[in-house]
Amino acid sequence: MSIEKRKLKLGYIPLTDCLPLVAAAELGLFADEGLEVELSREASWSTVRDKLIVGELDGAQLLAPMALSATLGLGGLRKPMVTAFSLGLNGNAITVSNALFAELGLHAEEASPLGAAAALGKVVAQRRERGRQPLVLATVFPFSNHNYLLRYWLAAAGVDAGRDIKLVALPPSQMGANLRLGHIDGFCVGEPWNSCAVAEGHGRCLVTGYEIWQNAPEKVFGVVGDWAMQHPETHAALLRALDRACAWIDDDPLQALPLLHRGEHVDVPIEQLQMPFNGELHVGLGQQRRGRDHFHVFHRFAANFPWRSHACWMVDQMARSGQLPDAVMASNVIAEVWRSDIYRAVFGDSRSLPLHDYKSEGEHHLAWQCEGSRGAVTLGPDRLVDAAVYSPQSSPALA
Amino acid sequence: MLVDDLPARAALLEQALRDQQFEVVARLATAAGLADEVARLEPDVIIIDIDSPDRDTLEHMASLHRDNPRPVVMFAGERETATIERAVRAGVSAYIVDGLNPGRVRTIVDVAIARFREYQALRRELEETRTQLADRKQIDRAKALLMRHRKMSEEAAYKAMRKMAMDRGQRLPEVAANIIDVFDLSEE
C-alpha cells in the first residue's frame, strides 16, 4: 500500500501542545514515513478551520470541540471532520489579574480550586449589588475546552458564567497584554501563556485545568472527513510519525521544548516554556507550586487514544452552554468524528489498546488500569472538581 | 468595517467599496479593541484579513446571542461554499449581520476578494523579484570567486557552474551558494 500524497501542509497555533507536530517535522519523523511536511503557523482557530475546509491545509492541531462544531456547522462552515489522534491531555490553566487575585483573597474561605470559584462568586455578587460592571473573562474560542472547563469550574460554585460574567475570546498570545491593560480580569488559556503572564507579573495563576478535570482532553489532530477517506495511508503515516513524536516528548519534555523556541514556532523565552514542567508555576489562592502531572501528558496514560466518551462530554458542555440548537442531533456524529477505529487499525498490532471507546470520568483519584486488547492499559486519574462522576451512558449526548 | 494590518490594502478596498456606494464606518488594525468597536458601530459587514488573530474574537461574539441582538455570522451558507473558498485563498474573510440582502453582501465580498487578490499578486511579484535579484547576486559572486581563484574567464566560470547544476540536478543559485560556502571555508 502506498502513500496517496507526499507533500503535505499542516497547521498549528503557537502553544506548547503544538509540540508533537513541530517535533515530528523537526526531527524528521514525517520524512521517515516518506512524507514531506510543511508546517504553517496560523493566527486564529477560525482560520485553521477554514483552511482545512477549503483544502489549504491537509491536517492541523485543532481544539477538540472544533472537530464537532465544524462537523455540525455550529458558528461557521459545516464540513464533516475526523480525528483519530489526540495530541495529549491537560495544558490549560486559569490566570487572573493581580487586582482580582487580591480581591479574591479577601473573600476566600478556603484555598482549594472550589474555594477560589466560591470567592469569585462572591466578587461577582458584590459587583452586581454595587452596580459595577461584571467581570470579564477570556477564553480562546467559543468551541474550546477552555470555555467548557472555565464554565464547569464556575458552575461548581454556583456561578453561571453565561449570566454572571462577560465572556470574550482573545488570541492566546494576547491574553497577558490584555490582562495588564485591564481589558479583562482573567482568562483560561493553554500553556505557555499562563506562565508568560505570571512571569511578566501581569497576573496570578488561580487554577490548573487538571484541578478542574484531571487528564482532560485538549487538542486533537484533525483532518476533513473526505480527506481521511481519500488518503488512508497518508493519514496512517502521519499518525505513526505523531505517535513517535509524542513518545519522544513525553520521555523528556524539557529536552523537547527548545524545538518550539529554536524553530521560532512559539516565540517566548525558554524559561517560560519550561515553567510548568519544572514545577515553577505557583498556583491557587495559596500560590503553591504544582507538579508536572498538572500539565501536558503527551503519550503515557493512552493520551493519544481518541475516546468517544471525551466527545460525549464536550457535546454535553455545548448543550449546557447553549451552543447546540435543539434541532441538532450531535449524538449521531460522535462516532463519525472520533475515529477510534482508525487509531486501532494503525496501532492495534503493536501495543495494547483500551477495549472500549467509552469510559466514565471522575471515579479515579490515582492512575488505574482498564481492560486492554493485549493486557491492561494504564490510564491517568480523572477526578472532576465537583467530585461528580460523569458517565457517558447517562449523557444526554447519547440519549 | 475593515480589519487589516496593511493600511495600503485597506485603503484600496475602502476606495473600491465607496465606488460601489457602500459606507465604510471604520478601518482598524488588529488587536485594537475590535469587540468594543463592533458593539459601538454595529457594522452590517466586517471584512477581515484572514491572518488577523481577531477572527476568533468575532466568532465568539457571533456565538453569544445574548449580548448581540444582531448577531454577526460568518458568510457561511451551504450555497456560498465556492465563494468562501475563493475568499480563503485570497486571504480574506467576512462576517455578516443576519438578514442582510444577499445580493448586496455578495457584491461586497466579491469586491474584497478582488482587492485582496490583487494585493496578493503584487506582493508575490515583489517577493519573486526580490528572490530573483538575490539569486542573481549570488550567481555573480560565485562566478567572480571562480574567476579569481581558478583563473577562469567569465564564460568558462558560468559554463562550469551550469554543468555542475545539470550533473547534480540542483538549481543554479544552489550551486552558487555551494561554491561560495567552499571558498568561504577555504579562506578561514
Side-chain angles (χ1 to χ4, degrees), chain A residues 42-51 54-56 75-78 139-143 147 151 161-171 174 322-323, chain B residues 30-31 33 35-36 49-67 74-78 80-81 84-86 88-89 93 95:
Chain A
E42 303 295 342
S44 71
W45 291 111
S46 313
T47 295
V48 170
R49 175 202 59 207
D50 293 352
K51 286 189 174 174
V54 307
E56 286 264 294
L77 298 170
R78 178 203 296 267
T139 67
V140 298
F141 197 71
F143 305 99
N147 186 17
R151 285 169 176 268
R163 184 195 62 205
D164 302 330
I165 283 176
K166 186 175 174 197
L167 292 173
V168 299
L170 291 171
Q174 290 174 19
Q323 292 179 332
Chain B
T30 55
D36 290 341
D49 175 9
I50 201 159
D51 288 326
S52 162
D54 282 344
R55 284 195 68 203
D56 291 344
T57 303
L58 285 177
E59 301 239 346
H60 179 84
M61 290 184 82
S63 79
L64 290 181
H65 302 276
R66 181 193 55 142
D67 279 355
M74 203 200 150
F75 188 52
E78 303 268 347
E80 288 114 1
T81 310
I84 289 161
E85 201 165 320
R86 282 194 301 132
V88 172
R89 293 196 193 282
S93 179
Y95 293 84

Side-chain angles (χ1 to χ4, degrees), chain A residues 79-82 223-232:
Chain A
K79 187 87 167 188
M81 295 276 178
V82 155
V223 298
V224 166
D226 290 342
W227 189 97
M229 208 132 68
Q230 289 153 9
H231 306 87

